[in-house]
Amino acid sequence: MIPFLDLKAINSRHKQELIEACSNVIDSGWYIQGQYLNNFEREFAEYCDSDHCIGVANGLDALTLTMRAWKELGKLKDGDEVLVPANTYIATILSVTENRLTPIFVEPDPFTFNIDVKNIEKAITSRTKVILPVHLYGRSAPMREIMAIAKVYDLLVLEDGAQAHGVFCDGKMVGSWSDAAAFSFYPGKNLGALGDAGAVVTSDSALANTIRAIGNYGSERKYVNNIKGVNSRLDEIQAAMLSVKLKTLDSDNNRRRAIAKEYYKRIDNPNIRIAPLDGLNNVYHLFVISTMFREELATLLSSHGIQTLIHYPIPSHGQLAYRELGHLSLPITEKIHQEILSLPISPVMETAHIDLVIDVCNSFSVSNV
């Protein structure tokens, strides 16, 4: 069996260091907002070339608290519009509606799957206040062009970097382009904790302080609550383990790039479409192909013990949770969701497994459908 993602094998490489990190936290007697969180926040801020990192409970909170902080700072108000890629995971949309803001779906580029710059400007109205690009599947969104548009229209930019730890965009690290960037450290991410975890990076001190206060019950000083906050904090054990795994993030990303290069060079089937390679602009959190025969190809791969997944089978505007958006017509997004299939990729994937995935993809024939 070739698993889609072997988390046990990924984390086993760090087992002794992770055990030691956990033991150190246990022995410290301090389990929330201590030295291990401070260490990781400093390390990850530096890694992202940002001034501040604020650890939070998960990636959804990282997005939600950032927009909530902008509301507290008077930069947003109820009903303001946020431009989002229509084909993103629902968490991006949830963060918008949770803040009583209005998501405006922008069709993606059908080849890169990221938000299409030419559609952004068309979607801007007098109520637009934020562009929320998602670096989907590990490929950087076109940040230079997005920031140029944001400057013209005086818009805030919040990067969703949940799948893009370590991505460069035109020589700059994801998270350093915009007003803020949100990250998830869900276990399956390129930089994954052993539980839920997230963070925001920013070089805006006022924003950083406000996010930190909101996530700590609205308190900047113990028992003094100036904001109606929530409890969303990255705990000491997860922070300590993330510090361990951050050391190998770049090498893991390079291994993913090497596998992607093999897939791109050697999968040669007219029924399978693959986006062009993207160098350092992609960390290949997922390797996503497109085919009009998704079910049949997935069945063939499964018959050879190869696990695949669909990211994502139902677009956000087609979910019952957003039934009020069901009237939207987004043909590019809908086509993408009908045709995409994610192949196995990870830093511990064996060469023989890579070869088998390629061989089975190449053997797929419509005549057998």
Side-chain angles (χ1 to χ4, degrees), residues 81-97 101-108 115-116 119-124 128 130 132 314-319 321-331 333-334 337:
E81 293 177 351
V82 180
L83 305 187
V84 296
N87 61 319
T88 186
Y89 182 55
I90 197 170
T92 313
I93 315 303
L94 289 169
S95 70
V96 176
T97 56
L101 302 169
T102 303
I104 302 298
F105 290 176
V106 178
E107 287 270 55
I115 194 167
D116 194 328
N119 292 328
I120 291 176
E121 206 156 4
K122 296 175 186 176
I124 294 173
T128 306
V130 182
L132 207 171
I314 304 173
S316 295
H317 70 284
Q319 300 282 359
Y322 286 108
R323 55 178 62 84
E324 70 273 17
L325 302 176
H327 65 282
L328 293 177
S329 175
L330 298 162
T333 291
E334 289 154 14
H337 283 266

Side-chain angles (χ1 to χ4, degrees), residues 87 108-110 113 294 332-340:
N87 61 319
D109 182 307
F113 305 125
R294 178 172 68 191
I332 296 174
T333 291
E334 289 154 14
K335 188 173 190 294
I336 287 172
H337 283 266
Q338 290 166 3
E339 296 185 354
I340 53 175

Side-chain angles (χ1 to χ4, degrees), residues 62-318:
L63 290 166
T64 303
L65 297 189
T66 301
M67 286 183 279
R68 167 76 189 279
W70 278 331
K71 292 184 78 174
E72 294 289 345
L73 292 167
K75 296 186 177 184
L76 294 177
K77 64 181 185 305
D78 287 3
D80 283 345
E81 293 177 351
V82 180
L83 305 187
V84 296
N87 61 319
T88 186
Y89 182 55
I90 197 170
T92 313
I93 315 303
L94 289 169
S95 70
V96 176
T97 56
E98 178 66 18
N99 278 296
R100 298 186 297 278
L101 302 169
T102 303
I104 302 298
F105 290 176
V106 178
E107 287 270 55
D109 182 307
F111 299 103
T112 68
F113 305 125
N114 275 328
I115 194 167
D116 194 328
V117 172
K118 71 176 185 293
N119 292 328
I120 291 176
E121 206 156 4
K122 296 175 186 176
I124 294 173
T125 72
S126 60
R127 295 174 60 194
T128 306
K129 300 299 178 186
V130 182
I131 304 175
L132 207 171
V134 179
H135 304 293
L136 198 63
Y137 307 146
R139 182 188 299 269
S140 67
M143 291 307 301
R144 187 179 300 280
E145 294 90 340
I146 289 170
M147 295 309 297
I149 293 171
K151 184 176 181 180
V152 170
Y153 292 93
D154 192 24
L155 304 178
L156 296 164
V157 179
L158 170 58
E159 298 172 71
D160 184 338
Q163 301 181 1
H165 315 79
V167 172
F168 281 89
C169 178
D170 291 340
K172 291 181 65 173
M173 187 69 80
V174 159
S176 64
W177 277 96
S178 59
D179 298 285
F183 290 88
S184 166
F185 304 120
Y186 183 78
K189 304 299 185 183
N190 289 35
L191 179 60
L194 272 70
D196 271 322
V200 181
V201 298
T202 181
S203 291
D204 182 334
S205 296
L207 178 64
N209 292 337
T210 305
I211 293 170
R212 196 179 298 280
I214 293 171
N216 187 37
Y217 300 98
S219 173
E220 293 186 36
R221 186 159 56 92
K222 194 169 184 178
Y223 301 135
V224 177
N225 304 79
N226 296 323
I227 299 170
K228 295 175 183 175
V230 298
N231 177 10
S232 181
R233 301 177 297 204
L234 176 58
D235 68 69
E236 286 285 280
I237 284 181
Q238 295 299 345
M241 290 191 289
L242 285 166
S243 287
V244 169
K245 297 183 70 178
L246 181 59
K247 299 172 188 175
T248 59
L249 176 58
D250 287 342
S251 59
D252 282 356
N253 285 343
N254 285 334
R255 175 58 178 159
R256 288 174 178 270
R257 291 184 180 111
I259 296 169
K261 187 175 182 180
E262 290 298 304
Y263 282 162
Y264 180 76
K265 286 196 313 181
R266 295 170 53 198
I267 294 178
D268 185 16
N269 189 318
N271 299 301
I272 297 173
R273 298 187 304 279
I274 301 175
L277 288 177
D278 216 12
L280 294 177
N281 287 14
N282 201 331
V283 292
Y284 294 97
H285 171 63
L286 300 171
F287 192 90
V288 180
I289 62 173
S290 299
T291 176
M292 294 175 62
F293 308 98
R294 178 172 68 191
E295 184 177 347
E296 293 83 1
L297 177 58
T299 298
L300 177 64
L301 288 161
S302 180
S303 72
H304 286 80
I306 301 167
Q307 184 182 24
T308 60
L309 292 176
I310 300 171
H311 296 88
Y312 306 97
I314 304 173
S316 295
H317 70 284

